[in-house]
Amino acid sequence: EAGVAQSPRYKIIEKRQSVAFWCNPISGHATLYWYQQILGQGPKLLIQFQNNGVVDDSQLPKDRFSAERLKGVDSTLKIQPAKLEDSAVYLCASSSPGAGSRTDTQYFGPGTRLTVL
Amino acid sequence: GENVGLHLPTLSVQEGDNSIINCAYSNSASDYFIWYKQESGKGPQFIIDIRSNMDKRQGQRVTVLLNKTVKHLSLQIAATQPGDSAVYFCAEADTGANSKLTFGKGITLSVRP
């Protein structure tokens, strides 16, 4: 079974530029997550989708970050304009609801390492 | 606010020894816990999980122990191998609220040959 795919793997931009990340979840997984992982810290949830609807975006800096999952499969995360503090690894994860379970195992992609200069 | 944290930032063990990685959590409503392993340049990889109605769960070479009284979680790795070298994260969730995971900061496990 193919895992979660992400691209690009690395991106270097200057502050105030825009950047976009792409994620393709595991086939059949209805739930998709975007996390931000700053060096030395655990991942922090930015946004969670259930199919193409947003479940939780409470920690997404909406003045500069946006995400979409128009057809309920692939997703893109955009930052516009980027700040120095956005330098981090952006992880995508997906999960599939189990019968009677509200918490499902999340499978992570390799992440995109963003450096903002 | 609520947080999940790890006691030690690094752990060095001899190959073949057992490893114990500890984690403290402070959200008393958390009822689901997961350990993830993250190797350099990769995303977190699921190792093992446990629900609050259990105090111990075993997998292949790994055991997770949950002590709800003191809000403590540990991961035991038997016969540690060089391939176990990675950063380990504990994560917790209150499934009564949502499925949102809160991760701790991570601890680096280094295996000496």
Side-chain angles (χ1 to χ4, degrees), chain B residues 79-113:
Chain B
T80 312
Q81 302 171 359
D84 295 326
S85 294
V87 178
Y88 289 80
F89 293 96
C90 65
E92 53 94 15
D94 171 7
T95 62
N98 52 51
S99 60
K100 176 179 174 180
L101 288 177
T102 300
F103 284 80
K105 285 191 175 182
I107 182 168
T108 300
L109 176 64
S110 177
V111 182
R112 303 189 303 272

PDB file of all heavy atoms in Angstrom, chain B residues 79-113:
ATOM      1  N   ALA B  79      15.783  -5.262  23.851  1.00  0.00           N
ATOM      2  CA  ALA B  79      16.920  -5.582  22.987  1.00  0.00           C
ATOM      3  C   ALA B  79      17.115  -4.503  21.923  1.00  0.00           C
ATOM      4  O   ALA B  79      17.016  -4.759  20.715  1.00  0.00           O
ATOM      5  CB  ALA B  79      16.718  -6.948  22.349  1.00  0.00           C
ATOM      6  N   THR B  80      17.408  -3.301  22.383  1.00  0.00           N
ATOM      7  CA  THR B  80      17.505  -2.139  21.496  1.00  0.00           C
ATOM      8  C   THR B  80      18.527  -2.369  20.390  1.00  0.00           C
ATOM      9  O   THR B  80      19.633  -2.856  20.637  1.00  0.00           O
ATOM     10  CB  THR B  80      17.871  -0.886  22.292  1.00  0.00           C
ATOM     11  OG1 THR B  80      17.019  -0.791  23.436  1.00  0.00           O
ATOM     12  CG2 THR B  80      17.697   0.355  21.454  1.00  0.00           C
ATOM     13  N   GLN B  81      18.135  -1.998  19.187  1.00  0.00           N
ATOM     14  CA  GLN B  81      18.974  -2.191  18.004  1.00  0.00           C
ATOM     15  C   GLN B  81      19.366  -0.843  17.404  1.00  0.00           C
ATOM     16  O   GLN B  81      18.697   0.170  17.641  1.00  0.00           O
ATOM     17  CB  GLN B  81      18.189  -3.005  16.968  1.00  0.00           C
ATOM     18  CG  GLN B  81      17.718  -4.348  17.471  1.00  0.00           C
ATOM     19  CD  GLN B  81      16.758  -5.033  16.505  1.00  0.00           C
ATOM     20  OE1 GLN B  81      16.423  -4.485  15.443  1.00  0.00           O
ATOM     21  NE2 GLN B  81      16.321  -6.232  16.857  1.00  0.00           N
ATOM     22  N   PRO B  82      20.433  -0.803  16.607  1.00  0.00           N
ATOM     23  CA  PRO B  82      20.832   0.468  15.976  1.00  0.00           C
ATOM     24  C   PRO B  82      19.698   1.113  15.183  1.00  0.00           C
ATOM     25  O   PRO B  82      19.576   2.334  15.136  1.00  0.00           O
ATOM     26  CB  PRO B  82      21.989   0.045  15.065  1.00  0.00           C
ATOM     27  CG  PRO B  82      22.576  -1.142  15.746  1.00  0.00           C
ATOM     28  CD  PRO B  82      21.401  -1.876  16.340  1.00  0.00           C
ATOM     29  N   GLY B  83      18.840   0.294  14.593  1.00  0.00           N
ATOM     30  CA  GLY B  83      17.710   0.830  13.830  1.00  0.00           C
ATOM     31  C   GLY B  83      16.662   1.505  14.687  1.00  0.00           C
ATOM     32  O   GLY B  83      15.760   2.166  14.166  1.00  0.00           O
ATOM     33  N   ASP B  84      16.783   1.372  15.993  1.00  0.00           N
ATOM     34  CA  ASP B  84      15.841   2.051  16.893  1.00  0.00           C
ATOM     35  C   ASP B  84      16.246   3.503  17.142  1.00  0.00           C
ATOM     36  O   ASP B  84      15.472   4.262  17.737  1.00  0.00           O
ATOM     37  CB  ASP B  84      15.760   1.318  18.233  1.00  0.00           C
ATOM     38  CG  ASP B  84      15.180  -0.076  18.105  1.00  0.00           C
ATOM     39  OD1 ASP B  84      14.295  -0.283  17.248  1.00  0.00           O
ATOM     40  OD2 ASP B  84      15.631  -0.978  18.854  1.00  0.00           O
ATOM     41  N   SER B  85      17.441   3.872  16.718  1.00  0.00           N
ATOM     42  CA  SER B  85      17.899   5.244  16.900  1.00  0.00           C
ATOM     43  C   SER B  85      16.984   6.195  16.135  1.00  0.00           C
ATOM     44  O   SER B  85      16.807   6.069  14.920  1.00  0.00           O
ATOM     45  CB  SER B  85      19.339   5.399  16.397  1.00  0.00           C
ATOM     46  OG  SER B  85      20.235   4.656  17.185  1.00  0.00           O
ATOM     47  N   ALA B  86      16.390   7.127  16.861  1.00  0.00           N
ATOM     48  CA  ALA B  86      15.417   8.055  16.268  1.00  0.00           C
ATOM     49  C   ALA B  86      14.949   9.007  17.356  1.00  0.00           C
ATOM     50  O   ALA B  86      15.382   8.922  18.505  1.00  0.00           O
ATOM     51  CB  ALA B  86      14.215   7.293  15.694  1.00  0.00           C
ATOM     52  N   VAL B  87      14.041   9.898  16.988  1.00  0.00           N
ATOM     53  CA  VAL B  87      13.350  10.734  17.964  1.00  0.00           C
ATOM     54  C   VAL B  87      11.986  10.103  18.230  1.00  0.00           C
ATOM     55  O   VAL B  87      11.290   9.709  17.298  1.00  0.00           O
ATOM     56  CB  VAL B  87      13.173  12.178  17.452  1.00  0.00           C
ATOM     57  CG1 VAL B  87      12.394  13.013  18.465  1.00  0.00           C
ATOM     58  CG2 VAL B  87      14.531  12.809  17.172  1.00  0.00           C
ATOM     59  N   TYR B  88      11.635  10.000  19.489  1.00  0.00           N
ATOM     60  CA  TYR B  88      10.372   9.387  19.888  1.00  0.00           C
ATOM     61  C   TYR B  88       9.450  10.451  20.482  1.00  0.00           C
ATOM     62  O   TYR B  88       9.873  11.266  21.307  1.00  0.00           O
ATOM     63  CB  TYR B  88      10.613   8.262  20.890  1.00  0.00           C
ATOM     64  CG  TYR B  88      11.260   7.059  20.246  1.00  0.00           C
ATOM     65  CD1 TYR B  88      12.636   7.046  20.001  1.00  0.00           C
ATOM     66  CD2 TYR B  88      10.505   5.967  19.837  1.00  0.00           C
ATOM     67  CE1 TYR B  88      13.229   5.964  19.368  1.00  0.00           C
ATOM     68  CE2 TYR B  88      11.095   4.880  19.208  1.00  0.00           C
ATOM     69  CZ  TYR B  88      12.458   4.886  18.978  1.00  0.00           C
ATOM     70  OH  TYR B  88      13.047   3.822  18.350  1.00  0.00           O
ATOM     71  N   PHE B  89       8.198  10.417  20.045  1.00  0.00           N
ATOM     72  CA  PHE B  89       7.192  11.350  20.539  1.00  0.00           C
ATOM     73  C   PHE B  89       6.043  10.576  21.168  1.00  0.00           C
ATOM     74  O   PHE B  89       5.589   9.571  20.620  1.00  0.00           O
ATOM     75  CB  PHE B  89       6.594  12.174  19.394  1.00  0.00           C
ATOM     76  CG  PHE B  89       7.554  13.117  18.739  1.00  0.00           C
ATOM     77  CD1 PHE B  89       8.225  12.757  17.581  1.00  0.00           C
ATOM     78  CD2 PHE B  89       7.788  14.376  19.266  1.00  0.00           C
ATOM     79  CE1 PHE B  89       9.105  13.629  16.957  1.00  0.00           C
ATOM     80  CE2 PHE B  89       8.660  15.263  18.657  1.00  0.00           C
ATOM     81  CZ  PHE B  89       9.326  14.879  17.505  1.00  0.00           C
ATOM     82  N   CYS B  90       5.566  11.075  22.293  1.00  0.00           N
ATOM     83  CA  CYS B  90       4.288  10.601  22.782  1.00  0.00           C
ATOM     84  C   CYS B  90       3.231  11.621  22.353  1.00  0.00           C
ATOM     85  O   CYS B  90       3.540  12.808  22.184  1.00  0.00           O
ATOM     86  CB  CYS B  90       4.286  10.396  24.289  1.00  0.00           C
ATOM     87  SG  CYS B  90       4.510  11.893  25.270  1.00  0.00           S
ATOM     88  N   ALA B  91       2.031  11.165  22.169  1.00  0.00           N
ATOM     89  CA  ALA B  91       0.925  12.040  21.796  1.00  0.00           C
ATOM     90  C   ALA B  91      -0.312  11.580  22.537  1.00  0.00           C
ATOM     91  O   ALA B  91      -0.450  10.395  22.865  1.00  0.00           O
ATOM     92  CB  ALA B  91       0.691  12.016  20.287  1.00  0.00           C
ATOM     93  N   GLU B  92      -1.185  12.521  22.818  1.00  0.00           N
ATOM     94  CA  GLU B  92      -2.388  12.198  23.560  1.00  0.00           C
ATOM     95  C   GLU B  92      -3.602  12.860  22.925  1.00  0.00           C
ATOM     96  O   GLU B  92      -3.474  13.840  22.205  1.00  0.00           O
ATOM     97  CB  GLU B  92      -2.246  12.631  25.025  1.00  0.00           C
ATOM     98  CG  GLU B  92      -1.845  14.066  25.232  1.00  0.00           C
ATOM     99  CD  GLU B  92      -3.022  15.005  25.437  1.00  0.00           C
ATOM    100  OE1 GLU B  92      -4.131  14.513  25.701  1.00  0.00           O
ATOM    101  OE2 GLU B  92      -2.838  16.221  25.315  1.00  0.00           O
ATOM    102  N   ALA B  93      -4.759  12.280  23.210  1.00  0.00           N
ATOM    103  CA  ALA B  93      -6.003  12.813  22.679  1.00  0.00           C
ATOM    104  C   ALA B  93      -7.132  12.568  23.664  1.00  0.00           C
ATOM    105  O   ALA B  93      -7.141  11.582  24.396  1.00  0.00           O
ATOM    106  CB  ALA B  93      -6.337  12.193  21.333  1.00  0.00           C
ATOM    107  N   ASP B  94      -8.057  13.502  23.662  1.00  0.00           N
ATOM    108  CA  ASP B  94      -9.298  13.351  24.408  1.00  0.00           C
ATOM    109  C   ASP B  94     -10.364  12.977  23.379  1.00  0.00           C
ATOM    110  O   ASP B  94     -10.904  13.847  22.702  1.00  0.00           O
ATOM    111  CB  ASP B  94      -9.635  14.665  25.112  1.00  0.00           C
ATOM    112  CG  ASP B  94     -11.029  14.667  25.734  1.00  0.00           C
ATOM    113  OD1 ASP B  94     -11.691  13.604  25.737  1.00  0.00           O
ATOM    114  OD2 ASP B  94     -11.459  15.737  26.195  1.00  0.00           O
ATOM    115  N   THR B  95     -10.637  11.684  23.251  1.00  0.00           N
ATOM    116  CA  THR B  95     -11.531  11.240  22.184  1.00  0.00           C
ATOM    117  C   THR B  95     -12.977  11.629  22.437  1.00  0.00           C
ATOM    118  O   THR B  95     -13.804  11.580  21.529  1.00  0.00           O
ATOM    119  CB  THR B  95     -11.448   9.720  21.986  1.00  0.00           C
ATOM    120  OG1 THR B  95     -11.861   9.069  23.188  1.00  0.00           O
ATOM    121  CG2 THR B  95     -10.053   9.295  21.625  1.00  0.00           C
ATOM    122  N   GLY B  96     -13.276  12.043  23.663  1.00  0.00           N
ATOM    123  CA  GLY B  96     -14.620  12.528  23.936  1.00  0.00           C
ATOM    124  C   GLY B  96     -14.864  13.883  23.319  1.00  0.00           C
ATOM    125  O   GLY B  96     -16.010  14.262  23.061  1.00  0.00           O
ATOM    126  N   ALA B  97     -13.785  14.615  23.049  1.00  0.00           N
ATOM    127  CA  ALA B  97     -13.899  15.940  22.455  1.00  0.00           C
ATOM    128  C   ALA B  97     -13.734  15.864  20.933  1.00  0.00           C
ATOM    129  O   ALA B  97     -14.584  16.298  20.179  1.00  0.00           O
ATOM    130  CB  ALA B  97     -12.854  16.876  23.059  1.00  0.00           C
ATOM    131  N   ASN B  98     -12.601  15.293  20.500  1.00  0.00           N
ATOM    132  CA  ASN B  98     -12.335  15.155  19.070  1.00  0.00           C
ATOM    133  C   ASN B  98     -11.178  14.177  18.918  1.00  0.00           C
ATOM    134  O   ASN B  98     -10.741  13.577  19.885  1.00  0.00           O
ATOM    135  CB  ASN B  98     -11.992  16.512  18.441  1.00  0.00           C
ATOM    136  CG  ASN B  98     -10.893  17.228  19.204  1.00  0.00           C
ATOM    137  OD1 ASN B  98      -9.850  16.651  19.471  1.00  0.00           O
ATOM    138  ND2 ASN B  98     -11.126  18.461  19.576  1.00  0.00           N
ATOM    139  N   SER B  99     -10.691  14.034  17.714  1.00  0.00           N
ATOM    140  CA  SER B  99      -9.592  13.095  17.486  1.00  0.00           C
ATOM    141  C   SER B  99      -8.259  13.820  17.377  1.00  0.00           C
ATOM    142  O   SER B  99      -7.289  13.272  16.896  1.00  0.00           O
ATOM    143  CB  SER B  99      -9.849  12.285  16.210  1.00  0.00           C
ATOM    144  OG  SER B  99      -9.957  13.156  15.096  1.00  0.00           O
ATOM    145  N   LYS B 100      -8.207  15.048  17.855  1.00  0.00           N
ATOM    146  CA  LYS B 100      -6.996  15.859  17.735  1.00  0.00           C
ATOM    147  C   LYS B 100      -5.901  15.315  18.643  1.00  0.00           C
ATOM    148  O   LYS B 100      -6.092  15.112  19.831  1.00  0.00           O
ATOM    149  CB  LYS B 100      -7.322  17.297  18.109  1.00  0.00           C
ATOM    150  CG  LYS B 100      -6.147  18.240  18.113  1.00  0.00           C
ATOM    151  CD  LYS B 100      -6.615  19.636  18.483  1.00  0.00           C
ATOM    152  CE  LYS B 100      -5.469  20.601  18.635  1.00  0.00           C
ATOM    153  NZ  LYS B 100      -5.939  21.959  18.985  1.00  0.00           N
ATOM    154  N   LEU B 101      -4.725  15.090  18.046  1.00  0.00           N
ATOM    155  CA  LEU B 101      -3.563  14.636  18.797  1.00  0.00           C
ATOM    156  C   LEU B 101      -2.731  15.828  19.239  1.00  0.00           C
ATOM    157  O   LEU B 101      -2.510  16.752  18.462  1.00  0.00           O
ATOM    158  CB  LEU B 101      -2.699  13.722  17.935  1.00  0.00           C
ATOM    159  CG  LEU B 101      -3.233  12.322  17.625  1.00  0.00           C
ATOM    160  CD1 LEU B 101      -2.257  11.598  16.699  1.00  0.00           C
ATOM    161  CD2 LEU B 101      -3.448  11.519  18.885  1.00  0.00           C
ATOM    162  N   THR B 102      -2.248  15.778  20.480  1.00  0.00           N
ATOM    163  CA  THR B 102      -1.293  16.759  20.976  1.00  0.00           C
ATOM    164  C   THR B 102       0.012  16.034  21.224  1.00  0.00           C
ATOM    165  O   THR B 102       0.066  15.074  21.995  1.00  0.00           O
ATOM    166  CB  THR B 102      -1.791  17.411  22.268  1.00  0.00           C
ATOM    167  OG1 THR B 102      -3.036  18.071  22.016  1.00  0.00           O
ATOM    168  CG2 THR B 102      -0.781  18.431  22.769  1.00  0.00           C
ATOM    169  N   PHE B 103       1.073  16.500  20.569  1.00  0.00           N
ATOM    170  CA  PHE B 103       2.376  15.849  20.661  1.00  0.00           C
ATOM    171  C   PHE B 103       3.253  16.523  21.704  1.00  0.00           C
ATOM    172  O   PHE B 103       3.188  17.742  21.919  1.00  0.00           O
ATOM    173  CB  PHE B 103       3.107  15.946  19.317  1.00  0.00           C
ATOM    174  CG  PHE B 103       2.593  15.008  18.269  1.00  0.00           C
ATOM    175  CD1 PHE B 103       1.443  15.293  17.551  1.00  0.00           C
ATOM    176  CD2 PHE B 103       3.271  13.835  17.975  1.00  0.00           C
ATOM    177  CE1 PHE B 103       0.970  14.433  16.575  1.00  0.00           C
ATOM    178  CE2 PHE B 103       2.814  12.971  16.998  1.00  0.00           C
ATOM    179  CZ  PHE B 103       1.667  13.269  16.296  1.00  0.00           C
ATOM    180  N   GLY B 104       4.111  15.714  22.332  1.00  0.00           N
ATOM    181  CA  GLY B 104       5.152  16.239  23.178  1.00  0.00           C
ATOM    182  C   GLY B 104       6.334  16.691  22.337  1.00  0.00           C
ATOM    183  O   GLY B 104       6.297  16.639  21.103  1.00  0.00           O
ATOM    184  N   LYS B 105       7.410  17.110  22.999  1.00  0.00           N
ATOM    185  CA  LYS B 105       8.551  17.686  22.296  1.00  0.00           C
ATOM    186  C   LYS B 105       9.469  16.658  21.650  1.00  0.00           C
ATOM    187  O   LYS B 105      10.169  16.957  20.721  1.00  0.00           O
ATOM    188  CB  LYS B 105       9.370  18.562  23.241  1.00  0.00           C
ATOM    189  CG  LYS B 105       8.703  19.899  23.545  1.00  0.00           C
ATOM    190  CD  LYS B 105       9.661  20.830  24.266  1.00  0.00           C
ATOM    191  CE  LYS B 105       9.028  22.204  24.460  1.00  0.00           C
ATOM    192  NZ  LYS B 105       9.976  23.134  25.130  1.00  0.00           N
ATOM    193  N   GLY B 106       9.534  15.474  22.130  1.00  0.00           N
ATOM    194  CA  GLY B 106      10.389  14.475  21.525  1.00  0.00           C
ATOM    195  C   GLY B 106      11.639  14.192  22.335  1.00  0.00           C
ATOM    196  O   GLY B 106      12.201  15.076  22.969  1.00  0.00           O
ATOM    197  N   ILE B 107      12.070  12.947  22.309  1.00  0.00           N
ATOM    198  CA  ILE B 107      13.320  12.547  22.959  1.00  0.00           C
ATOM    199  C   ILE B 107      14.132  11.744  21.955  1.00  0.00           C
ATOM    200  O   ILE B 107      13.584  10.915  21.225  1.00  0.00           O
ATOM    201  CB  ILE B 107      13.072  11.726  24.243  1.00  0.00           C
ATOM    202  CG1 ILE B 107      14.397  11.367  24.911  1.00  0.00           C
ATOM    203  CG2 ILE B 107      12.303  10.451  23.940  1.00  0.00           C
ATOM    204  CD1 ILE B 107      14.237  10.815  26.314  1.00  0.00           C
ATOM    205  N   THR B 108      15.423  12.028  21.905  1.00  0.00           N
ATOM    206  CA  THR B 108      16.298  11.334  20.978  1.00  0.00           C
ATOM    207  C   THR B 108      16.858  10.083  21.634  1.00  0.00           C
ATOM    208  O   THR B 108      17.431  10.145  22.719  1.00  0.00           O
ATOM    209  CB  THR B 108      17.453  12.251  20.545  1.00  0.00           C
ATOM    210  OG1 THR B 108      16.920  13.414  19.909  1.00  0.00           O
ATOM    211  CG2 THR B 108      18.377  11.520  19.572  1.00  0.00           C
ATOM    212  N   LEU B 109      16.687   8.951  20.974  1.00  0.00           N
ATOM    213  CA  LEU B 109      17.274   7.688  21.430  1.00  0.00           C
ATOM    214  C   LEU B 109      18.489   7.403  20.565  1.00  0.00           C
ATOM    215  O   LEU B 109      18.379   7.320  19.337  1.00  0.00           O
ATOM    216  CB  LEU B 109      16.263   6.544  21.329  1.00  0.00           C
ATOM    217  CG  LEU B 109      16.797   5.157  21.690  1.00  0.00           C
ATOM    218  CD1 LEU B 109      17.205   5.090  23.151  1.00  0.00           C
ATOM    219  CD2 LEU B 109      15.765   4.070  21.370  1.00  0.00           C
ATOM    220  N   SER B 110      19.648   7.249  21.208  1.00  0.00           N
ATOM    221  CA  SER B 110      20.886   6.951  20.503  1.00  0.00           C
ATOM    222  C   SER B 110      21.380   5.586  20.964  1.00  0.00           C
ATOM    223  O   SER B 110      21.555   5.362  22.169  1.00  0.00           O
ATOM    224  CB  SER B 110      21.926   8.024  20.804  1.00  0.00           C
ATOM    225  OG  SER B 110      23.158   7.719  20.197  1.00  0.00           O
ATOM    226  N   VAL B 111      21.606   4.686  20.036  1.00  0.00           N
ATOM    227  CA  VAL B 111      22.025   3.331  20.362  1.00  0.00           C
ATOM    228  C   VAL B 111      23.518   3.181  20.081  1.00  0.00           C
ATOM    229  O   VAL B 111      23.958   3.357  18.940  1.00  0.00           O
ATOM    230  CB  VAL B 111      21.218   2.295  19.562  1.00  0.00           C
ATOM    231  CG1 VAL B 111      21.642   0.874  19.947  1.00  0.00           C
ATOM    232  CG2 VAL B 111      19.724   2.492  19.795  1.00  0.00           C
ATOM    233  N   ARG B 112      24.280   2.848  21.097  1.00  0.00           N
ATOM    234  CA  ARG B 112      25.729   2.658  20.964  1.00  0.00           C
ATOM    235  C   ARG B 112      26.025   1.229  20.528  1.00  0.00           C
ATOM    236  O   ARG B 112      25.486   0.291  21.098  1.00  0.00           O
ATOM    237  CB  ARG B 112      26.427   2.945  22.292  1.00  0.00           C
ATOM    238  CG  ARG B 112      26.164   4.328  22.853  1.00  0.00           C
ATOM    239  CD  ARG B 112      27.063   4.591  24.057  1.00  0.00           C
ATOM    240  NE  ARG B 112      26.886   3.584  25.101  1.00  0.00           N
ATOM    241  CZ  ARG B 112      25.979   3.647  26.076  1.00  0.00           C
ATOM    242  NH1 ARG B 112      25.153   4.675  26.121  1.00  0.00           N
ATOM    243  NH2 ARG B 112      25.903   2.703  26.988  1.00  0.00           N
ATOM    244  N   PRO B 113      26.867   1.051  19.533  1.00  0.00           N
ATOM    245  CA  PRO B 113      27.173  -0.311  19.055  1.00  0.00           C
ATOM    246  C   PRO B 113      28.064  -1.083  20.030  1.00  0.00           C
ATOM    247  O   PRO B 113      28.703  -0.500  20.887  1.00  0.00           O
ATOM    248  CB  PRO B 113      27.899  -0.061  17.727  1.00  0.00           C
ATOM    249  CG  PRO B 113      28.468   1.303  17.860  1.00  0.00           C
ATOM    250  CD  PRO B 113      27.513   2.093  18.726  1.00  0.00           C
TER     251      PRO B 113
END
